[in-house]
Amino acid sequence: LTKLKDYGLEGIEVYNSHHTPEQISLFKEMAEHFNFACTVGSDFHGRNEDNTKIGFGLENNLMISDYELIKELKRRHSSILT
């Protein structure tokens, strides 16, 4: 990840429909350690074969109530544009 950060990586997908709670915790720690933005992805690509619901994930595991994630992404986006 250090090398990827050197190449310009700024965020990692912490929340994903297929991540376990343990993986989410690990990815959050990694994001904090490397000062990466945390992103969310439902991995929803149309056909609903594994009960993934767009915006909710599997079994509502993407119900993120932490608006700080969005504020941080907006802050990072604004700094790119200026």
Side-chain angles (χ1 to χ4, degrees):
L1 287 176
T2 300
K3 189 170 279 285
L4 291 172
K5 182 174 180 156
D6 292 343
Y7 288 128
L9 183 69
E10 293 189 37
I12 58 174
E13 190 168 280
V14 171
Y15 300 95
N16 180 289
S17 298
H18 302 286
H19 291 172
T20 65
E22 293 80 15
Q23 289 171 316
I24 290 170
S25 291
L26 174 65
F27 295 141
K28 281 174 74 172
E29 287 176 24
M30 292 165 61
E32 288 174 14
H33 176 78
F34 287 99
N35 193 31
F36 288 151
C38 297
T39 64
V40 182
S42 66
D43 232 7
F44 185 87
H45 297 278
R47 297 185 73 196
N48 191 7
E49 294 174 358
D50 62 359
N51 294 321
T52 301
K53 295 179 184 170
I54 192 163
F56 297 93
L58 288 169
E59 299 173 13
N60 291 331
N61 69 337
L62 294 182
M63 293 296 295
I64 312 301
S65 60
D66 187 359
Y67 189 68
E68 292 301 314
L69 292 175
I70 294 171
K71 288 183 359 185
E72 176 63 13
L73 289 173
K74 285 182 175 184
R75 184 193 68 73
R76 288 175 184 253
H77 178 73
S78 293
S79 70
I80 292 170
L81 297 177
T82 56

